């Protein structure tokens, strides 16, 4: 009763292959990031709520030095395929390994600032570069 006929399996496999061929590179990367977040057991950024303690993973899109109230602050945009959030390290001008294109896992309490999700001074773990 639970067995799927071979023709339906083949049709599903063919459909997935056609979807991948017709998808843009950005869509494929987003899908890969969403799968990576699920595999790592992290919360999808798109599902995060204000004041929630979360562990998220993704790729750093941008890294900038932007002072906040006269204090240096290193800001990075983390994207996981579902949404983006800002990761902010107050009092830091740079952190070794925090650079665009780097994958990381970050943990902390989400806050909303100007309508964007933000993690201030999160615990973080840099992910290996390249394929694992």
């Amino acid at each position: 009763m639970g067995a799927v006929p071979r023709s339906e399996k083949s049709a599903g496999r063919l459909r997935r292959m056609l979807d991948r061929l017709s998808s843009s590179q950005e869509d494929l990367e987003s899908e890969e990031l969403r799968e990576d977040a699920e595999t790592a057991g992290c919360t999808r950024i798109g599902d995060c709520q204000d004041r929630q303690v979360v562990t998220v993973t993704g790729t750093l899109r941008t890294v900038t030095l932007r002072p906040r109230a006269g204090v240096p602050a290193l800001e990075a945009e983390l994207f996981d395929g579902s949404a983006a959030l800002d990761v902010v390290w107050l009092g830091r001008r740079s952190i070794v390994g925090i650079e665009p294109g780097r994958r990381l896992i970050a943990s902390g309490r989400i806050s909303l600032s100007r309508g964007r999700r933000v993690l201030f001074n999160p615990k973080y773990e840099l992910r290996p570069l390249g394929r694992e």
Side-chain angles (χ1 to χ4, degrees):
M1 201 164 156
V4 176
R6 178 175 281 195
S7 61
E8 286 184 30
K9 285 183 183 179
S10 297
R13 193 173 302 132
L14 178 62
R15 179 73 181 149
R16 283 192 303 274
M17 187 174 71
L18 288 173
D19 286 346
R20 289 186 66 81
L21 289 173
S22 64
S23 298
S24 70
Q25 185 65 27
E26 185 176 326
D27 290 341
L28 294 174
E29 289 172 2
S30 293
E31 182 180 336
E32 182 181 327
L33 287 170
R34 285 190 299 271
E35 290 172 0
D36 185 45
E38 187 176 310
T39 302
C42 295
T43 305
R44 291 179 46 205
I45 293 172
D47 296 338
C48 295
Q49 302 297 319
D50 189 28
R51 308 295 302 151
Q52 180 181 8
V53 176
V54 297
T55 299
V56 295
T57 187
T59 300
L60 296 175
R61 285 182 166 172
T62 62
V63 178
T64 57
L65 178 61
R66 184 170 296 137
R68 288 178 173 249
V71 176
L74 186 64
E75 288 189 13
E77 182 184 63
L78 184 69
F79 180 70
D80 76 346
S82 68
L85 67 77
D86 295 327
V87 183
V88 179
W89 289 273
L90 297 171
R92 302 296 299 264
R93 294 184 189 282
S94 66
I95 298 174
V96 175
I98 300 297
E99 57 197 26
R102 187 67 187 249
R103 288 190 178 191
L104 66 86
I105 296 174
S107 300
R109 185 176 302 274
I110 293 283
S111 63
L112 290 177
S113 176
R114 298 184 200 127
R116 289 186 55 94
R117 294 174 182 93
V118 182
L119 271 178
F120 286 100
N121 296 324
K123 294 179 189 175
Y124 68 95
E125 175 185 332
L126 296 174
R127 306 286 302 272
L129 293 172
R131 284 278 172 204
E132 297 177 52

